Amino acid sequence: MEKKPHFVRREFLPREVPSISLALLLAAVLLLNALLYLYLNKFYSSLGRVETDPGLCPFGHFKFGAVKNCSPWLSCEAINREVRKLKCVGEGAVKKVFLSEWKEKKVVLSQLTNSELKEDFLHGLKMLKALQSKHVVRLLGYCEQQFTILTEYHPLGSLRGLNETLHIPKYKGMNSWHRRLMLAIDYVSVIRYLHSSPVGTLVMCDSNDLDKLLSQYLLTSDFHVLVNDLDALPLVNRSAGRLVKCGHRELRGEFVAPEQRWPYGEDVPFEDDLMPPYDEKTDIWKIPDVFNFFLGHVEGSDIVRLHLFDIHAACKKKDPAERPSAQEVLDTYRKVLTLLVREAAMPGTREML
């Protein structure tokens, strides 16, 4: 009789403990899901699902740094009087770029160098004004008469220097698959914005090789991607039957899309008039190659590539019509990020359940 209570305890305790453990585990999973939701919601907001920044100034105005009030774009007079050149930091076919100073702030002054390309320069200025958003470098002022543009300065420079930047001790903590995937998402967000911009469907034509493409984008100090050079940004208008051609020379190599290459073989000399035009799907073809640059070969990168294999294979379809839109690529990248962050936060949860 005295042993009965002991028998009862041995019978019921093993059944009660697992149920309590299961309840605690489920509570932990729900808490982690809630934290992940908050994190990813904040992350997507920072990437700019809404194309225009709520803090963006009205058209024709700017603000940056700690300044709260918006100022009008600087005029020719203001640029000549208030902006001081410090040194030349770059020169391309169209313009020369100077690190400059305005009211003790570092800025970038771009000036036309080849008068034969002034139409390209003015087109870039037109696009810069029309596309101001969190995807595009901030315009501070311009002077059409002197072919001068003033923009915000980003000390980390173009995306060409990404790997070098990530090896600097200060930024080594950013050198992870997670942060690199976020940069790739930023890049595709820019492409999506250009393909559905306020002025229509735009094609990034300064992208005939990886190095040239990367030079068109800036890396910000808080590790986001901005498009910087908009000189070669033609408009696709399918309803009007308007397609584009990126320049008037023959394009070669696997980096450019198949439809951008001369279709009539080596025996037929290239003629610009005979070259068929194309649309924005040329940008989609290049995404997997740009992604590979972003991701590099850090720990965990192989798993990310495996998850994105199908969408990247679709981007490389020979028929442009069969390639996904930039929005579809962006949605896939975001889903994979969500999945991998959840798996990293809750390893082995499925097996425990």
Side-chain angles (χ1 to χ4, degrees):
M1 293 293 291
E2 293 178 359
K3 292 183 179 180
K4 190 172 182 179
H6 295 287
F7 173 77
V8 171
R9 281 196 296 269
R10 283 196 298 269
E11 181 181 356
F12 286 99
L13 276 175
R15 295 180 182 176
E16 291 172 356
V17 172
S19 63
I20 294 172
S21 299
L22 183 59
L24 290 172
L25 179 59
L26 287 172
V29 170
L30 290 173
L31 177 60
L32 282 170
N33 272 317
L35 291 173
L36 278 170
Y37 172 81
L38 292 172
Y39 165 77
L40 292 168
N41 186 57
K42 182 180 179 181
F43 164 68
Y44 290 151
S45 298
S46 70
L47 285 179
R49 272 188 161 176
V50 178
E51 303 303 349
T52 54
D53 187 341
L56 204 64
C57 293
F59 183 81
H61 295 73
F62 73 93
K63 66 178 178 179
F64 72 107
V67 178
K68 293 183 179 180
N69 297 326
C70 295
S71 302
W73 286 334
L74 299 187
S75 63
C76 296
E77 181 184 358
I79 291 173
N80 291 332
R81 185 180 65 250
E82 301 173 14
V83 176
R84 181 171 65 95
K85 290 180 185 177
L86 299 177
K87 63 177 179 178
C88 179
V89 292
E91 183 173 2
V94 178
K95 53 186 178 287
K96 186 177 286 189
V97 180
F98 297 89
L99 175 63
S100 304
E101 192 174 61
W102 174 71
K103 293 187 176 180
E104 300 183 347
K105 297 181 179 71
K106 297 286 175 60
V107 293
V108 173
L109 187 71
S110 302
Q111 292 183 317
L112 178 69
T113 55
N114 186 346
S115 59
E116 294 181 0
L117 298 174
K118 64 181 181 181
E119 292 304 319
D120 292 40
F121 184 90
L122 293 175
H123 177 74
L125 173 59
K126 178 183 176 182
M127 292 293 101
L128 196 54
K129 291 192 288 184
L131 299 177
Q132 284 295 289
S133 71
K134 54 173 48 181
H135 301 297
V136 179
V137 69
R138 189 166 294 152
L139 177 64
L140 308 179
Y142 63 93
C143 180
E144 284 195 37
Q145 297 93 313
Q146 298 173 8
F147 297 98
T148 299
I149 299 173
L150 193 71
T151 54
E152 190 173 12
Y153 171 63
H154 293 280
L156 295 183
S158 79
L159 284 176
R160 285 189 298 189
L162 173 63
N163 288 319
E164 289 76 9
T165 297
L166 289 171
H167 283 95
I168 297 172
K170 179 181 178 181
Y171 299 110
K172 278 190 175 180
M174 299 286 194
N175 196 17
S176 65
W177 70 262
H178 176 249
R179 178 60 65 172
R180 284 173 171 268
L181 178 54
M182 288 168 68
L183 288 173
I185 290 174
D186 255 8
Y187 168 73
V188 178
S189 295
V190 174
I191 297 299
R192 189 275 310 268
Y193 177 63
L194 295 179
H195 288 184
S196 57
S197 82
V199 297
T201 300
L202 300 166
V203 181
M204 176 54 80
C205 268
D206 264 341
S207 58
N208 297 335
D209 58 67
L210 180 61
D211 192 64
K212 180 64 174 176
L213 182 149
L214 295 172
S215 71
Q216 310 303 303
Y217 297 85
L218 295 171
L219 179 65
T220 67
S221 296
D222 59 349
F223 271 67
H224 285 283
V225 174
L226 297 175
V227 62
N228 179 51
D229 197 329
L230 304 175
D231 295 344
L233 210 61
L235 180 68
V236 170
N237 188 337
R238 285 191 185 82
S239 60
R242 183 194 300 166
L243 299 177
V244 305
K245 287 190 285 186
C246 291
H248 304 287
R249 299 178 182 178
E250 183 178 1
L251 301 179
R252 296 175 179 268
E254 293 299 313
F255 187 77
V256 296
E259 65 271 22
Q260 292 184 280
R261 302 172 212 153
W262 181 243
Y264 303 116
E266 296 289 339
D267 296 334
V268 181
F270 177 82
E271 287 188 43
D272 184 44
D273 291 341
L274 297 179
M275 180 66 199
Y278 33 84
D279 62 18
E280 76 281 3
K281 289 298 183 74
T282 58
D283 289 332
I284 304 300
W285 170 272
K286 298 162 188 173
I287 285 177
D289 300 291
V290 181
F291 172 84
N292 281 331
F293 168 80
F294 275 121
L295 199 61
H297 297 283
V298 295
E299 183 179 355
S301 59
D302 290 344
I303 298 297
V304 182
R305 284 188 174 88
L306 182 62
H307 280 280
L308 293 172
F309 179 85
D310 289 342
I311 192 68
H312 286 159
C315 290
K316 291 294 188 179
K317 294 280 189 181
K318 187 172 183 179
D319 182 355
E322 294 181 5
R323 295 173 205 153
S325 66
Q327 182 66 63
E328 289 171 320
V329 178
L330 183 59
D331 289 343
T332 303
Y333 277 22
R334 285 173 168 167
K335 287 176 183 175
V336 168
L337 176 65
T338 302
L339 172 67
L340 293 178
V341 169
R342 182 179 290 126
E343 288 181 352
M346 299 181 290
T349 300
R350 184 175 299 175
E351 289 78 4
M352 292 171 68
L353 289 173

